[in-house]
Amino acid sequence: MPRHQPSAYLSHTARREGWLALPPCRWVALLIFTLAARHLANPFIATVYVLYMAGMGTCMGSVMTSALRTLADNQQTEGNAILNTLQQFAGAVGTSLSAVVVAQSQAHLAGSQAYTTAVGTQNAFIMLTVFTTVIWFSYFEVVK
């Protein structure tokens, strides 16, 4: 199978797979969490989290496949290792940043522990929604 240029292959993949190439479910779930962060019941959290993970499942396979298809066959194992390492690193950074935002809200806001945690969680969701939006639009700039 001939190798394609990365941008040409990503463009073709995005057109062929449509919304599966992007995380719209994740963005919608983050937006719901952001807007309703202080008023969430457990069944609602579970439902929105399923939507979030559906977005994760639909985009990660496509992104990794697209990235690995640009590599030669003898480089794909190393590429897979690099992508998995980057995914773990990005998850750790996102978790750490979210924890910092929640901890700062707990330390600097007046009110009960539950209230300051809820405000901090909502602020963390706002941060994650902004990051997801920037990444989403960046993707469209790369894949034209």
Side-chain angles (χ1 to χ4, degrees):
M1 177 178 184
R3 297 286 169 208
H4 302 281
Q5 293 296 325
S7 60
Y9 183 77
L10 286 174
S11 296
H12 172 71
T13 301
R15 283 192 305 271
R16 187 184 72 224
E17 296 179 9
W19 70 277
L20 294 178
L22 293 172
C25 291
R26 291 171 57 190
W27 187 81
V28 169
L30 279 172
L31 190 61
I32 291 169
F33 276 140
T34 299
L35 296 175
R38 296 191 210 172
H39 311 288
L40 300 175
N42 288 340
F44 184 73
I45 292 170
T47 303
V48 176
Y49 187 71
V50 167
L51 178 67
Y52 179 82
M53 292 310 294
M56 175 73 87
T58 58
C59 78
M60 288 311 295
S62 297
V63 169
M64 288 186 75
T65 300
S66 294
L68 292 175
R69 298 280 308 257
T70 64
L71 299 176
D73 289 339
N74 63 343
Q75 296 175 324
Q76 288 188 358
T77 54
E78 291 89 357
N80 188 40
I82 290 169
L83 287 174
N84 283 315
T85 301
L86 288 173
Q87 185 178 6
Q88 292 293 320
F89 180 74
V93 169
T95 301
S96 298
L97 288 174
S98 297
V100 165
V101 169
V102 173
Q104 288 297 313
S105 294
Q106 290 172 336
H108 297 293
L109 292 177
S112 69
Q113 184 77 17
Y115 172 77
T116 58
T117 301
V119 171
T121 302
Q122 187 171 26
N123 291 337
F125 282 133
I126 291 168
M127 175 191 69
L128 293 172
T129 303
V130 168
F131 287 167
T132 301
T133 304
V134 169
I135 291 167
W136 195 353
F137 285 113
S138 298
Y139 179 86
F140 283 118
E141 287 298 315
V142 171
V143 182
K144 289 185 179 183

